[in-house]
Amino acid sequence: TEKYPDVEFEVADEDNVQVAMHSSLVSGIETIISYVFEDKKFVSGLYLFDAESSKDGDERLKDYKNVSEKLNEKYEMEEEHTWHKTSWKDSPNYHGHAFDMGDVDFLERYKSEDVVIVHSMENNNGTIIHLVNYSTREFAEKTVAELEAENEF
């Protein structure tokens, strides 16, 4: 927060983890941006796009592709889309409709020795989540391990 005195951050502090959040436009999309610090060291950035919008699937897919294009300029993102129903899979002009119907979740990922980036957009019973998560590899692996441990019960 010291580097951006003109930005109003909401800050949450728990144990040795601090999260600083603010809203801004990213690629023309209203976005909630969160920075996560562990032991005062940056470990993750999260961009949650247009959470309150009533855009249709085609508009959301356009946003997803716009963000994807920007990421792919710098990183070699690998697509890992999940098709729950494959009716529209081979018809790219209907992928927005398929997203509206909850038939597909879009995901692409980049991993290096130091960094993990996940860009995803999913429709979970009408709740749309479009995000980019940029994390140190160590933090990403620790977070996955914690989630897996929680899901074992």
Side-chain angles (χ1 to χ4, degrees), residues 65-79:
K65 288 180 176 181
N66 184 24
V67 172
S68 177
E69 185 178 308
K70 301 268 190 249
L71 287 168
N72 278 284
E73 287 173 6
K74 188 168 182 176
Y75 307 100
E76 290 183 33
M77 305 293 289
E78 293 183 23
E79 288 186 353

Side-chain angles (χ1 to χ4, degrees), residues 34-110:
S34 302
Y35 304 97
V36 181
F37 300 88
E38 188 173 54
D39 297 323
K40 300 188 183 211
K41 178 182 162 199
F42 175 80
V43 293
S44 184
L46 180 72
Y47 300 79
L48 179 60
F49 298 101
D50 225 1
E52 302 298 319
S53 174
S54 59
K55 293 179 178 177
D56 68 17
D58 290 331
E59 292 170 304
R60 289 191 178 277
L61 183 57
K62 183 179 176 186
D63 287 346
Y64 178 87
K65 288 180 176 181
N66 184 24
V67 172
S68 177
E69 185 178 308
K70 301 268 190 249
L71 287 168
N72 278 284
E73 287 173 6
K74 188 168 182 176
Y75 307 100
E76 290 183 33
M77 305 293 289
E78 293 183 23
E79 288 186 353
E80 300 175 29
H81 305 325
T82 301
W83 286 88
H84 307 289
K85 293 182 184 172
T86 58
S87 306
W88 306 106
K89 185 176 182 177
D90 297 324
S91 303
N93 289 342
Y94 292 95
H95 285 182
H97 172 73
F99 180 76
D100 268 344
M101 301 302 292
D103 294 349
V104 62
D105 295 328
F106 296 101
L107 185 135
E108 58 185 350
R109 184 185 320 263
Y110 169 82

Side-chain angles (χ1 to χ4, degrees), residues 9 11 16 26 34 39 41 53 65 73 87 111 114 142 147 149:
F9 288 91
V11 178
N16 61 339
V26 175
S34 302
D39 297 323
K41 178 182 162 199
S53 174
K65 288 180 176 181
E73 287 173 6
S87 306
K111 286 184 185 179
D114 303 319
K142 183 177 100 172
L147 289 172

Side-chain angles (χ1 to χ4, degrees), residues 25-36:
L25 285 178
V26 175
S27 291
I29 307 166
E30 189 62 41
T31 306
I32 297 170
I33 304 167
S34 302
Y35 304 97
V36 181

